[in-house]
Structure formats: C-alpha cells, structure tokens
Amino acid sequence: MSSGSANAEQSRRSKSTESSDLSSSHDREHTPSWEPRNLCVALESASRRASLQERQIKDLENKLALDLSNSHAIENLLQEVFTSIHQTGERARFAINNTVPHVDRTLQEDLVLLHELEEQLPEVGAQIRDIRQVYDRGRDKARDLMSSLEWLNTPISQKLRAIIFTPNAPVSKRWKVAVRTIFALVFCMCMWIAWITLRGAVRAHRQRLVWGERLMS
C-alpha cells in the first residue's frame, strides 16, 4: 500500500506541474505587448470615451439645471398656493367668527318680522277691502254727481225727450211714468184737436162748394 500511495502522490505532483506550465504559457500568450500602434489606438479610444463622458456630463448638467429651474418654479407656485390657502382660511375664519353670526342675527330678526307680518296680513287685507269698498262707493257717488250736474245743465226739451224716449234719464220711475202719461194725454188731445180741426175744414170746404154752386145757379 505504501508503494501505491507513493505512485499516486507522484502522479498528482506531475499533473500539478503540467497545469502550472500550461497556466504560465497561457499568461505569456495574453500578456499585452506595449507596441506604439497599440498605444495610439488605446489613447484614441480613451479620448473618445472621455469626450463621450464629457458630453454626457454636459447633458446631465443641462438636465439638472432645467429640473432645478422647474423645481424653483414649482416651489414658487406651491408657495403662492399655500399663501392663497392661508388667506382663504383667514377669510373663512373671519366669516365664521363675524359674518355668520351677523347673518344669523339678521335672519332671526327677519323671521320675527315675517311672523309679525303674517299675523297682521288678515287685518291689512280687511282694511284694504274696506278701502276698496269706500273707493268704489265714492267713485259711484262722483259718477252720480256728474250725471246729476249734466242733467241739471240739460235744457228742458232735451230732458223731456230723454225721459219720454230713452231709458237712461237720471230720474225716478214715478217721474218717468208721470211724464210719459202726460205726454200720452197731450198727444192724444193734440191728435183729437187736429182731427176735429181737419173735419171742420173739410166740412167748411164742402159747404163752400155747395154755396158757390147755388150762387152760380
């Protein structure tokens, strides 16, 4: 067993030696060779990378400046909004403390006045109806007085004509009946007198004719 273990240890040592040789050869292959051409390429690549990073930094600075100005504008706007809210709150508190109680008192006084007016409305309505009735009666009396004055200033012939032939004469029914009866009697008498006169005239005419014929004969 000692010989087998020795052989195994020797094989492991040989393998480790081979692997170390391979790694050293691999390191030698990948070790950069610092030639002038490769150095220029590396510098050009580094400068391009630096300029790109510089442009990115400038873009970032511009964006940061824009965001900063926007943040300042937003801050000013928020400050104005906060001030407006504060002023509105002050006005609201003033209204709650002063205006609302005043309005409440005024409303209470108005309600009391409305209740008083509601209680007085029937009496006022009755007074208005009485005033309207008095006004109507006064207007009717004034109209009657005007009619009476016009009737008094009317000539007698027009009065008799209005009493006899129209129903609008401002006299009582007894006067109308009496005047119309007198007019009927007078008219009948006139007609009777006219009839008698006409008959007498006709008779006289006839007698004149008869006496004339006799005289002629």
Side-chain angles (χ1 to χ4, degrees):
M1 283 184 70
S2 61
S3 61
S5 61
N7 290 329
E9 184 177 357
Q10 188 177 0
S11 63
R12 282 198 298 272
R13 286 178 181 178
S14 62
K15 286 180 181 181
S16 63
T17 303
E18 290 177 358
S19 62
S20 63
D21 293 336
L22 288 174
S23 62
S24 62
S25 63
H26 187 269
D27 292 336
R28 282 194 302 272
E29 290 177 0
H30 287 282
T31 301
S33 59
W34 297 98
E35 297 179 356
R37 183 177 180 183
N38 293 332
L39 183 60
C40 291
V41 171
L43 289 174
E44 185 177 359
S45 176
S47 64
R48 283 198 302 269
R49 193 179 301 112
S51 62
L52 179 61
Q53 290 177 356
E54 186 177 359
R55 285 196 299 271
Q56 290 177 354
I57 289 171
K58 287 183 179 180
D59 293 337
L60 184 61
E61 287 179 354
N62 293 328
K63 188 180 292 185
L64 287 174
L66 181 61
D67 292 338
L68 184 61
S69 64
N70 292 332
S71 66
H72 283 305
I74 293 171
E75 184 180 1
N76 294 328
L77 182 61
L78 289 175
Q79 187 68 28
E80 292 177 359
V81 171
F82 179 74
T83 304
S84 176
I85 291 172
H86 182 69
Q87 293 176 356
T88 304
E90 291 293 333
R91 287 195 293 269
R93 282 191 294 272
F94 179 79
I96 291 172
N97 294 327
N98 297 317
T99 306
V100 172
H102 177 68
V103 172
D104 192 9
R105 288 194 302 271
T106 306
L107 286 175
Q108 293 296 329
E109 293 175 358
D110 292 339
L111 286 174
V112 172
L113 290 175
L114 285 174
H115 286 302
E116 292 178 357
L117 290 174
E118 185 179 3
E119 293 176 355
Q120 294 176 1
L121 274 178
E123 184 179 357
V124 174
Q127 291 176 358
I128 290 172
R129 285 191 295 271
D130 295 338
I131 293 170
R132 183 177 296 173
Q133 291 176 0
V134 171
Y135 173 76
D136 293 337
R137 287 197 297 268
R139 184 178 56 188
D140 295 336
K141 287 182 179 180
R143 190 182 294 115
D144 295 337
L145 288 173
M146 290 295 295
S147 300
S148 300
L149 289 174
E150 291 178 358
W151 179 255
L152 290 174
N153 293 325
T154 304
I156 296 175
S157 58
Q158 292 183 4
K159 288 181 181 180
L160 293 175
R161 191 182 302 117
I163 293 170
I164 295 168
F165 298 106
T166 61
N168 298 324
V171 294
S172 62
K173 291 182 179 179
R174 291 181 180 180
W175 272 99
K176 287 182 181 180
V177 171
V179 173
R180 288 175 182 177
T181 303
I182 293 170
F183 174 75
L185 292 174
V186 172
F187 181 76
C188 291
M189 288 179 65
C190 291
M191 291 299 294
W192 182 66
I193 292 170
W195 173 251
I196 292 174
T197 304
L198 184 60
R199 282 184 63 187
V202 171
R203 185 179 297 174
H205 182 67
R206 287 178 182 176
Q207 288 180 358
R208 190 180 303 115
L209 290 176
V210 172
W211 284 102
E213 289 177 358
R214 287 179 180 178
L215 290 174
M216 289 295 293
S217 63

